[in-house]
C-alpha cells in the first residue's frame, strides 16, 4: 500500500500549484527528501512544471518515466535519483490559500490547464462540479516563497492539522 501525498509550491501571486506523488508520502519519505534536497524554491517548481503525476520523488528534480529508466535509479546512499512517473496523465492542482489545501478543497487541473470535473443535472439545469482534493493519505506539503517547507498531517478524527514547519520533525 502506498502513502499518497500532494506537494504544493506558493506562487508570486499568493496562490499555490501542486502535484500528486504516489509513494512514500510520510514525513520520513517525501518530507525528508523535500527538506534535504528541495530548499531552493525553483527546484520543486520545475518538478511541478513537468506536469506529471509522480510515482516517487527523487533527490534530483529531473523528471523521468519509470519504465524508461530502470538502470542507475539509486545513488550511492540508496536514495532515488530522479522524480519518476508511470502514466502519461497529469495530476496537478491549484489552490487559493493554505486552508483550501488543508481541507482538500484544492482544484484538479487538466492537461489543457482547465479545471477538471464533471457535469451533473441539478435543479433542471446542467451544472459543472469541479473535482476537489485527491486520494491523499494523510500528508500535505507546501513550500512557501521563502523556501520554508510546511506540512499538514492527518489527525485521528480524520481531519488535517494546521500547517507547521516541516523542519520541526527533523531536530538537529
Amino acid at each position: 500500500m502506498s502513502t499518497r501525498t500532494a506537494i504544493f509550491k506558493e506562487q508570486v501571486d499568493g496562490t499555490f500549484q501542486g502535484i500528486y506523488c504516489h509513494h512514500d508520502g510520510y514525513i520520513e519519505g517525501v518530507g525528508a527528501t523535500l527538506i534535504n534536497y528541495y530548499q531552493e524554491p525553483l527546484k520543486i517548481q520545475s518538478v511541478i512544471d513537468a506536469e506529471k503525476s509522480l510515482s516517487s520523488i527523487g533527490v534530483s528534480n529531473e523528471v523521468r518515466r519509470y519504465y524508461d529508466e530502470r538502470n542507475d535509479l539509486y545513488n550511492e546512499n540508496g536514495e532515488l535519483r530522479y522524480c519518476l512517473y508511470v502514466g502519461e496523465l497529469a495530476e496537478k492542482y491549484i489552490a487559493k490559500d493554505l486552508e483550501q489545501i488543508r481541507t482538500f478543497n484544492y482544484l484538479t487541473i487538466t492537461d489543457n490547464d482547465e479545471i477538471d470535473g464533471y457535469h451533473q443535472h441539478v435543479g433542471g439545469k446542467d451544472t459543472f462540479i469541479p473535482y476537489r482534493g485527491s486520494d491523499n493519505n494523510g500528508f500535505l506539503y507546501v513550500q512557501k516563497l521563502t523556501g520554508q517547507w510546511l506540512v499538514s498531517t492527518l489527525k485521528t478524527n480524520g481531519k488535517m492539522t494546521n500547517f507547521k514547519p516541516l523542519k520541526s520533525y527533523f531536530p538537529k
Side-chain angles (χ1 to χ4, degrees):
M1 183 160 175
S2 297
T3 304
R4 301 169 301 278
T5 191
I7 303 167
F8 286 87
K9 166 78 179 69
E10 184 178 21
Q11 304 300 297
V12 174
D13 66 1
T15 64
F16 297 84
Q17 292 179 357
I19 55 167
Y20 174 80
C21 185
H22 190 73
H23 292 290
D24 301 330
Y26 47 88
I27 291 172
E28 297 82 6
V30 168
T33 300
L34 295 173
I35 277 288
N36 292 323
Y37 297 100
Y38 288 85
Q39 289 300 311
E40 167 55 44
L42 292 178
K43 192 170 180 183
I44 197 63
Q45 187 66 53
S46 70
V47 175
I48 292 168
D49 289 346
E51 299 183 352
K52 298 295 181 192
S53 180
L54 296 181
S55 176
S56 301
I57 191 163
V59 300
S60 161
N61 61 328
E62 186 176 343
V63 179
R64 294 185 172 188
R65 190 168 192 268
Y66 175 73
Y67 296 114
D68 296 341
E69 299 298 331
R70 298 299 290 248
N71 299 320
D72 200 31
L73 285 178
Y74 298 94
N75 66 18
E76 60 279 355
N77 297 324
E79 299 164 311
L80 185 63
R81 288 183 190 271
Y82 314 107
C83 296
L84 300 176
Y85 68 96
V86 176
E88 292 300 322
L89 292 177
E91 191 160 344
K92 55 187 179 174
Y93 311 119
I94 58 169
K96 64 179 180 182
D97 55 36
L98 287 173
E99 187 64 8
Q100 197 175 48
I101 297 169
R102 189 184 72 78
T103 59
F104 296 102
N105 282 307
Y106 50 90
L107 298 170
T108 301
I109 303 301
T110 68
D111 291 336
N112 298 328
D113 289 326
E114 297 172 352
I115 295 173
D116 203 359
Y118 60 96
H119 290 271
Q120 183 176 7
H121 200 69
V122 178
K125 64 181 183 175
D126 190 37
T127 304
F128 178 74
I129 311 293
Y131 293 134
R132 294 188 177 273
S134 73
D135 59 348
N136 180 275
N137 202 14
F139 299 89
L140 295 166
Y141 298 96
V142 173
Q143 188 179 45
K144 300 290 285 175
L145 286 175
T146 61
Q148 178 190 32
W149 280 102
L150 305 174
V151 63
S152 175
T153 60
L154 189 64
K155 297 190 289 188
T156 55
N157 66 2
K159 296 189 181 204
M160 299 299 288
T161 63
N162 288 330
F163 280 98
K164 69 184 232 180
L166 181 57
K167 269 190 167 183
S168 66
Y169 288 92
F170 298 94
K172 296 263 176 191

